[in-house]
Amino acid sequence: MLTVLPAFLILTRWPAALLTLIRRAGLLLASCLVSSVFAAESPTGLLWHNNYSLDLKAGVQVSPLDGSKPVIITPQSDMDVSVWPDGRVVAVTKPDIYKRITSLVVMEVATARPLHNLVLDGYVRELAPSPVSRELVKLSQGESPSSPYEELVMDLTTQKPRYRVASDDYFAWMPDGRFMLINLKTGLMRIAQLDDPREQVVGRLTLPPGRAMGGFLISPTGTEFIMKLPLRNSVPREADLWIGRLDGSRFEQLTQVRALGSALWSPDGRYVAYTVNTGSICSGWGCIGGCDQYFTRATRRAVKGLDGTPGSERFEVRNRFGQMQGLGCEVLAWTR
């Protein structure tokens, strides 16, 4: 399943600029981290994003919410960045659809020191790093971007799967390194851990009428989860975000936008960042639709995703030219 190349061969495949950027990012993010502790406004932290329109710069950047300038992480847009919850380690993946392989480098942000250098067979996407281990990631792997894929937890040190996610289960890490599984057919909610066949049933999720189950994320506090629920039989599929407790109780509608794109938790679990993505339809007269980035307190309900309405707040960040402006799509990670 995996082909492992020597570190020096892998690194020659990657631009030297990437390692330089990661090293610089480590120094700058460290200073941002210190300053954000003293920031009076909330929310606080660091937003990892690929918002090209912020300053017409392709690739991944990190924008501190204290008003500091952004940090450039990748020099090009064909690299995917996945971030460990503490923001100290990143995984950078670059697929080669012609050779049907994906290069993966895991490195420390502060030093750009590679921790893992791998070449994986096929097309790898949707990396979700373990919150407690540098060696474990949940990922999706298929032969191509359009082919069927398998979800599994991979040990990056041994290059072997530690857990295979059943096709009728949704998976999400818990803050302590365990994980929750929700069955899309029965709604049964279970907590499990690696190398232990036993599962603890904690509840059963009942979906609102007319909704289908989607992916979910557990809060950093380990007390709540958010889940994307598309409307059944809608074309394109209209979706919104629901929030509930880990036993399936108090499952309530968080957004009322009918075009939810993605969502993630703030590192303190008080906020949820979400995108409203209406897509784009273009003709000779121009294009309509687009993507907007918002955040809301996790205690709000049925937020509209429209400027000027409660819970439809925009992140204000500084671009690389020193100008403050609203951050567009999309936030990839939110760390301290």
Side-chain angles (χ1 to χ4, degrees):
M1 180 177 295
L2 295 176
T3 304
V4 183
L5 298 185
F8 74 91
L9 289 180
I10 292 292
L11 292 178
T12 58
R13 293 172 175 263
W14 293 71
L18 174 61
L19 298 181
T20 300
L21 289 172
I22 293 291
R23 291 190 186 98
R24 291 176 180 174
L27 297 174
L28 292 173
L29 292 182
S31 63
C32 294
L33 182 63
V34 172
S35 62
S36 67
V37 172
F38 300 99
E41 297 181 359
S42 37
T44 60
L46 305 169
L47 301 179
W48 305 64
H49 65 86
N50 57 4
N51 181 209
Y52 175 81
S53 62
L54 179 68
D55 50 19
L56 305 181
K57 178 69 176 178
V60 175
Q61 302 183 36
V62 182
S63 292
L65 285 171
D66 65 0
S68 303
K69 284 189 176 182
V71 179
I72 309 299
I73 297 296
T74 62
Q76 54 202 91
S77 58
D78 62 345
M79 298 178 179
D80 292 327
V81 174
S82 303
V83 188
W84 262 255
D86 62 9
R88 299 180 184 276
V89 175
V90 296
V92 184
T93 54
K94 185 176 181 180
D96 187 326
I97 60 176
Y98 300 104
K99 295 182 179 179
R100 296 191 175 184
I101 58 174
T102 299
S103 300
L104 185 153
V105 175
V106 178
M107 64 183 74
E108 295 177 340
V109 174
T111 63
R113 180 174 69 92
L115 303 179
H116 303 285
N117 299 284
L118 304 174
V119 172
L120 289 74
D121 292 334
Y123 184 81
V124 174
R125 56 185 171 180
E126 299 174 353
L127 267 68
S130 163
V132 299
S133 172
R134 306 301 197 209
E135 286 71 44
L136 298 173
V137 295
K138 195 277 289 182
L139 54 82
S140 299
Q141 186 175 30
E143 291 186 1
S144 69
S146 58
S147 66
Y149 61 91
E150 179 184 26
E151 287 189 286
L152 51 92
V153 176
M154 179 69 66
D155 187 318
L156 300 177
T157 300
T158 63
Q159 301 95 48
K160 294 181 179 179
R162 290 280 298 278
Y163 185 87
R164 298 183 186 275
V165 184
S167 60
D168 56 357
D169 277 336
Y170 280 99
F171 172 106
W173 289 110
M174 298 186 67
D176 60 5
R178 296 179 298 164
F179 51 91
M180 174 171 276
L181 302 165
I182 304 181
N183 188 275
L184 63 88
K185 296 177 181 178
T186 66
L188 197 64
M189 308 174 72
R190 303 102 66 205
I191 294 177
Q193 56 187 356
L194 297 176
D195 304 322
D196 189 341
R198 295 171 296 179
E199 296 178 347
Q200 177 189 1
V201 177
V202 295
R204 187 182 298 271
L205 184 63
T206 300
L207 298 182
R211 294 280 175 175
M213 190 180 297
F216 72 106
L217 295 171
I218 296 174
S219 71
T221 60
T223 57
E224 296 179 291
F225 73 99
I226 51 175
M227 176 178 281
K228 181 178 180 179
L229 298 187
L231 280 172
R232 296 183 185 273
N233 304 321
S234 62
V235 180
R237 302 200 76 178
E238 300 176 356
D240 268 299
L241 198 66
W242 259 250
I243 186 170
R245 294 185 174 180
L246 294 194
D247 61 358
S249 65
R250 297 194 178 182
F251 194 51
E252 300 169 332
Q253 189 169 0
L254 180 61
T255 70
Q256 194 173 7
V257 301
R258 305 187 68 171
L260 184 83
S262 62
L264 51 83
W265 288 96
S266 66
D268 60 9
R270 294 192 301 158
Y271 297 91
V272 174
Y274 66 97
T275 61
V276 179
N277 191 344
T278 58
S280 295
I281 301 176
C282 299
S283 66
W285 299 97
C287 298
I288 60 173
C291 185
D292 297 293
Q293 180 73 58
Y294 297 102
F295 70 89
T296 183
R297 286 188 176 271
T299 53
R300 288 194 178 274
R301 296 294 179 265
V303 297
K304 301 293 185 181
L306 296 171
D307 291 345
T309 60
S312 304
E313 315 298 335
R314 288 186 181 269
F315 293 110
E316 291 292 326
V317 298
R318 195 175 301 279
N319 64 20
R320 62 192 176 106
F321 305 116
Q323 303 163 330
M324 293 294 293
Q325 65 183 71
L327 180 66
C329 288
E330 70 178 321
V331 174
L332 307 174
W334 188 349
T335 61
R336 295 188 185 277

